[in-house]
Amino acid sequence: MILDFYKYQGTGNDFIIVDNRTKTFPKNNIALISKLCDRHFGIGADGVMLLETHETADFRMIYYNADGTQTMCGNGARCIVAFAKYLGIIDSKTNFMAHDGEHYAEISDGIVSLHMIDVDEVKVNNHYVFADTGTQHHVQMVNDLTDYPVYEQGKKIRYDVYGVPGSNVNFVQQIDNKTFRVRTYEKGVEDETLACGTGVTAVALAMHATKKTTENNLTLPVEGGTLSVSFNEHNGSYSNIYLSGPATFVFKGQISI
């Protein structure tokens, strides 16, 4: 079988996207998903996304991590919005269904603003913060993010603190009152990625919840570029959360599967 695919990236978080409206992609073949994501023996990506039809929304997004697990991916969602526009399914606005429910997004000049799910609780601990922004996120401040061993410490926290289900792990350094640099170890990829959309969203809420900032529109430099997150807060709950940044087409191709 010949598979047509498209490669997109959002601040370096890269994805293989397949137009699966014909329902021909073998979803149960986890080994295939991992092989497609393999950077040496496959196409290479942080994850695979399928765009499918939906009964009421513009489309359905199905996201697989490189290990085949399903979750929500913020940067992936922004990229699939750009892909839907490329296919002519949407114009500049859309409502679509994802792993964590329905999302609204807008796209203009290559920038996609994605409405994230509400977050009712941000758990503040002594040395870290935990929030579920569509997937689980551990947020921890460090002093020297450039030289911090993100892979080693991220992997340790992911398994030792959260066990087999795991959590993504975000390390953060404050630049100023509204700017926070972020590096993320992602479960499912089991490595540091150049960006994580749900991760920077969790970081933004964590920085506000711990009073590191009073701003509600934050700039978050990541290894692959810069993202922004805005939100409203009331009594510790967060709503009207938007993740914004570029979503870029890289190339399209075919592969025999």
Side-chain angles (χ1 to χ4, degrees):
M1 175 182 171
I2 300 298
L3 177 70
D4 294 311
F5 69 89
Y6 297 77
K7 185 77 179 285
Y8 276 75
Q9 61 90 6
T11 54
N13 215 182
D14 61 338
F15 311 100
I16 298 160
I17 309 182
V18 176
D19 179 359
N20 197 42
R21 288 177 290 177
T22 57
K23 302 290 183 72
T24 55
F25 186 88
K27 295 183 190 179
N28 295 326
N29 192 339
I30 301 304
L32 171 62
I33 292 167
S34 296
K35 182 179 179 181
L36 292 174
C37 290
D38 192 294
R39 297 191 184 276
H40 300 287
F41 300 101
I43 300 165
D46 292 326
V48 172
M49 281 186 288
L50 307 179
L51 183 147
E52 297 187 350
T53 57
H54 188 269
E55 297 82 359
T56 56
D58 292 327
F59 62 90
R60 181 190 299 276
M61 164 192 167
I62 301 176
Y63 180 80
Y64 297 92
N65 282 316
D67 68 352
T69 55
Q70 289 192 46
T71 187
M72 170 57 180
C73 177
N75 283 329
R78 294 190 308 98
C79 285
I80 207 168
V81 168
F83 181 56
K85 180 176 176 61
Y86 166 82
L87 293 178
I89 296 172
I90 67 167
D91 185 14
S92 60
K93 300 178 180 180
T94 181
N95 285 284
F96 67 96
M97 192 63 65
H99 185 75
D100 60 345
E102 191 168 11
H103 288 264
Y104 169 79
E106 296 185 5
I107 179 170
S108 177
D109 296 326
I111 302 297
V112 179
S113 296
L114 173 69
H115 189 197
M116 305 292 283
I117 61 168
D118 292 349
V119 177
D120 294 329
E121 183 180 20
V122 176
K123 298 179 181 177
V124 179
N125 297 282
N126 288 334
H127 302 294
Y128 67 92
V129 178
F130 180 85
D132 189 328
T133 54
T135 192
Q136 301 80 12
H137 280 280
H138 174 109
V139 177
Q140 186 170 314
M141 300 286 290
V142 299
N143 292 323
D144 184 4
L145 189 58
T146 298
D147 294 325
Y148 195 80
V150 170
Y151 174 80
E152 293 80 5
Q153 290 301 312
K155 183 176 182 179
K156 179 178 176 61
I157 293 168
R158 177 254 191 270
Y159 284 104
D160 291 357
V161 177
Y162 298 97
V164 174
S167 172
N168 292 350
V169 183
N170 304 273
F171 299 102
V172 188
Q173 184 172 5
Q174 184 166 6
I175 306 301
D176 57 38
N177 189 47
K178 63 177 299 183
T179 308
F180 296 84
R181 185 181 167 205
V182 184
R183 292 176 66 185
T184 302
Y185 177 97
E186 286 200 53
K187 66 172 184 173
V189 180
E190 304 309 334
D191 203 349
E192 180 179 2
T193 56
L194 295 182
C196 178
T198 53
V200 298
T201 302
V203 168
L205 305 188
M207 295 303 97
H208 187 269
T210 55
K211 304 188 186 309
K212 296 290 189 299
T213 182
T214 56
E215 300 287 337
N216 68 344
N217 190 343
L218 302 183
T219 300
L220 301 126
V222 294
E223 295 301 278
T226 301
L227 295 162
S228 64
V229 175
S230 61
F231 53 83
N232 293 331
E233 183 270 338
H234 180 69
N235 292 332
S237 295
Y238 292 84
S239 61
N240 201 32
I241 304 167
Y242 276 87
L243 167 69
S244 300
T248 306
F249 169 74
V250 182
F251 64 88
K252 67 178 180 178
Q254 294 181 324
I255 189 170
S256 179
I257 61 172

